[in-house]
Amino acid sequence: MNNDTICALATANGIGALGIIRVSGNEALSVVQKSFPAKNLEKQKSHTIHYGYFMDEEEAIDEVMLSIFLAPKSFTTENSVEIAFHGSPHIGKRILETLIKNGARMAKAGEFTLRAFINGRIDLSQAEAIADVIASENEASRKVAINQLKGGITNEISVLRTDLLNFVSLIELELDFAEEDVEFADRSALSGLLDKIEVKLNSLIESFQYGNAIKNGTAVAIIGKPNAGKSTLLNSLLKEERAIVSNIAGTTRDTIEEVLHIKGHAFRLIDTAGLRETVDEIEAIGVKKAKEKVENANILVYLADAATEDFSEDIEMIQSLLREDLKLIICATKIDEVIPTKYETVEDIFRSAISHEFDFIKISAVENQNIQDLKNELSSYVEHLKTEENNVVITNQRHFEALRKSMDAVHKVKEAISFQISTELLAYELRNALEHLGEISGEVTNDEVLGNIFSKFCIGK
């Protein structure tokens, strides 16, 4: 199938000023030539653009510009042509139908990038970074994806693999001379290398929490009793009337999710139903959903009405929702309606009752008071996840799992050395560590993994 000439729409579906169709394969030039009489494409230089009409036999389909990229200087390393046409979906469809009639076939999801990987132009982590660049929705995710596209992860891993491979070679040599009882690999030097690898792997593994926040956004659950001001806060943060605000308790029946960008980071704000005991069946479902959202949230913003006299129910609710890894922010709301000494007392009450670390902010969403303080607190949560010593950030779950498996293998190698276990077992665990590291760049992979990765790409990429 890699010898086929493939084609696909590379731009988004819908009407636009321009659309682009990509064609790649050994016969790309001849396939397009059948519909482009204006020039002899076989005689044109690489990286040149040509004007003319794209024809279906005697009928002109559209006025187009062709960009030619000759092998190996193309994205796929194959002969490639990009056809820029007026952005009508109908015209794009007609051009694709004609290309297929000329001998091409429709590309599968991610097939252009798959060919770039198979042909050695990029490694697997770079291929995945391309998808991340396309999907990036904020500045932080764009920067991380571009760094990965430039080979950031591969560069880190390749150094580790090279050093480890040298020792594997020496260990394998010992196996060849097993009867001689000789030792080619210095065990103390190997232990020193393993310590170094362990530190690097640990740094990369720890970066995943920050990377996941960048790539998928940080989940923020806005929780509180009915009429604590949750929907008002959501509207204030988003600067739009996204949620219905009413003095009637229980207005929010379902969860509302919106994305807020703060300092280049994405936060998935979840406005939930007010937490209380209720006989209303629909409201009860909303309360259940609210608790489920907290279970999957990174940050809990709990709103407590500053005018309340008894906070025991709020304290009980907070304690029932807490987890060790949950960031807690308690906001005393509606401070425009109470005297300053009142909300200072509120903080003292929560501090004395809740042992879990939390930040306390007094706000008025109606008057927009101290809303920026809350935004700063959300932003600082993500910034504190970042480790200064490591410029490479892991954002991919597959990479994270491979790194954890590599770390497990390294631990087993260290145990094998410590307990002077046989050279055969030592070699086996070293190969395991190498294999898991190689899974990240694609030096070690299988068709099932490749199929899963590239099936998530859009067609045309």
Side-chain angles (χ1 to χ4, degrees):
M1 292 177 68
N2 290 334
N3 295 324
D4 295 347
T5 295
I6 57 175
C7 62
L9 181 69
T11 46
N13 289 318
I15 297 173
L18 291 174
I20 296 175
I21 287 173
R22 309 175 83 178
V23 186
S24 184
N26 294 335
E27 304 301 321
L29 296 179
S30 61
V31 165
V32 177
Q33 183 72 76
K34 294 175 183 178
S35 295
F36 192 76
K39 285 187 180 178
N40 186 340
L41 300 181
E42 300 281 358
K43 294 184 178 181
Q44 308 307 319
K45 294 180 179 180
S46 184
H47 294 69
T48 56
I49 300 176
H50 308 278
Y51 164 81
Y53 282 89
F54 191 91
M55 309 291 293
D56 181 4
E57 297 180 353
E58 300 300 319
E59 179 188 5
I61 295 177
D62 193 20
E63 185 182 30
V64 301
M65 300 289 286
L66 301 187
S67 300
I68 294 177
F69 306 93
L70 300 181
K73 297 181 179 180
S74 72
F75 176 65
T76 60
T77 76
E78 304 168 332
N79 286 338
S80 299
V81 180
E82 292 186 357
I83 305 169
F85 60 94
H86 294 102
S88 157
H90 174 69
I91 292 174
K93 182 173 178 287
R94 284 290 310 275
I95 292 175
L96 285 171
E97 289 172 347
T98 305
L99 289 170
I100 292 170
K101 187 166 63 174
N102 292 349
R105 68 164 171 83
M106 281 295 295
K108 297 180 179 179
E111 190 167 1
F112 292 94
T113 308
L114 175 60
R115 290 189 176 197
F117 165 69
I118 290 173
N119 294 334
R121 185 182 177 277
I122 56 175
D123 64 42
L124 196 54
S125 67
Q126 288 175 302
E128 290 167 302
I130 291 171
D132 289 342
V133 169
I134 294 171
S136 61
E137 295 181 346
N138 55 71
E139 184 63 11
S141 61
R142 181 197 65 81
K143 285 182 177 179
V144 169
I146 287 294
N147 186 42
Q148 292 175 354
L149 183 58
K150 291 162 67 176
I153 295 176
T154 304
N155 293 339
E156 293 278 344
I157 297 301
S158 64
V159 173
L160 302 182
R161 286 194 88 239
T162 299
D163 291 342
L164 203 54
L165 187 60
N166 291 335
F167 274 98
V168 171
S169 300
L170 293 173
I171 294 293
E172 297 282 3
L173 191 60
E174 287 183 14
L175 292 175
D176 291 339
F177 289 88
E179 295 181 1
E180 306 293 331
D181 195 26
V182 292
E183 190 174 279
F184 293 104
D186 185 334
R187 293 324 192 245
S188 61
L190 177 56
S191 294
L193 173 63
L194 292 171
D195 288 340
K196 175 184 171 184
I197 291 175
E198 190 174 28
V199 169
K200 175 58 68 176
L201 288 177
N202 191 57
S203 177
L204 292 171
I205 289 169
E206 287 184 349
S207 76
F208 181 66
Q209 189 178 6
Y210 176 63
N212 196 44
I214 288 175
K215 184 175 181 178
N216 299 314
T218 301
V220 181
I222 303 174
I223 297 291
K225 291 163 62 177
N227 274 350
K230 299 181 295 299
S231 297
T232 305
L233 175 60
L234 179 69
N235 291 341
S236 179
L237 289 169
L238 298 174
K239 297 182 179 179
E240 64 173 289
E241 297 298 315
R242 176 63 182 86
I244 298 172
V245 176
S246 169
N247 290 326
I248 302 172
T251 303
T252 303
R253 301 296 188 93
D254 202 351
T255 57
I256 300 173
E257 297 194 26
E258 290 290 337
V259 176
L260 174 68
H261 294 280
I262 306 173
K263 298 180 181 178
H265 296 116
F267 294 86
R268 292 183 285 111
L269 304 179
I270 308 164
D271 178 24
T272 63
L275 299 182
R276 66 172 179 177
E277 295 297 325
T278 177
V279 295
D280 186 306
E281 184 178 350
I282 296 177
E283 187 182 355
I285 294 172
V287 172
K288 181 182 178 183
K289 280 190 175 183
K291 293 180 178 180
E292 290 173 352
K293 291 296 182 181
V294 176
E295 291 177 4
N296 297 314
N298 305 105
I299 302 174
L300 167 59
V301 176
Y302 189 91
L303 306 191
D305 188 341
T308 300
E309 294 300 325
D310 182 5
F311 293 98
S312 58
E313 193 176 341
D314 295 284
I315 292 168
E316 183 181 347
M317 187 60 65
I318 291 172
Q319 289 175 332
S320 71
L321 296 171
L322 288 176
R323 322 184 299 268
E324 186 177 344
D325 62 337
L326 185 67
K327 163 78 173 177
L328 173 62
I329 302 173
I330 298 177
C331 293
T333 63
K334 306 180 184 180
I335 61 170
D336 54 308
E337 300 177 9
V338 298
I339 59 175
T341 54
K342 169 63 176 174
Y343 51 72
E344 289 171 3
T345 303
V346 173
E347 180 175 2
D348 292 338
I349 291 172
F350 281 104
R351 293 276 178 210
S352 62
I354 297 175
S355 58
H356 190 96
E357 183 179 344
F358 66 89
D359 295 289
F360 185 86
I361 305 173
K362 47 188 182 292
I363 65 171
S364 169
V366 172
E367 300 294 333
N368 205 36
Q369 290 181 333
N370 301 335
I371 298 301
Q372 188 58 50
D373 292 345
L374 176 57
K375 289 183 177 180
N376 291 341
E377 200 59 51
L378 295 175
S379 179
S380 67
Y381 167 82
V382 178
E383 288 300 325
H384 287 153
L385 295 176
K386 186 176 182 181
T387 54
E388 294 296 331
E389 67 273 10
N390 193 2
N391 292 323
V392 175
V393 177
I394 301 301
T395 61
N396 189 296
Q397 182 72 36
R398 189 183 70 83
H399 299 170
F400 176 68
E401 295 298 336
L403 288 168
R404 288 208 308 181
K405 290 175 183 177
S406 298
M407 180 71 90
D408 289 342
V410 166
H411 289 161
K412 288 177 180 177
V413 173
K414 292 180 75 173
E415 288 177 6
I417 295 173
S418 176
F419 293 107
Q420 297 182 337
I421 293 175
S422 67
T423 303
E424 289 87 348
L425 183 57
L426 184 61
Y428 172 78
E429 296 298 353
L430 279 169
R431 284 194 294 267
N432 264 348
L434 271 175
E435 181 177 330
H436 294 311
L437 289 173
E439 287 174 3
I440 295 174
S441 62
E443 292 172 81
V444 178
T445 190
N446 58 58
D447 291 343
E448 185 178 356
V449 171
L450 292 180
N452 181 56
I453 291 171
F454 289 99
S455 66
K456 297 174 183 177
F457 280 61
C458 55
I459 294 174
K461 194 61 186 174

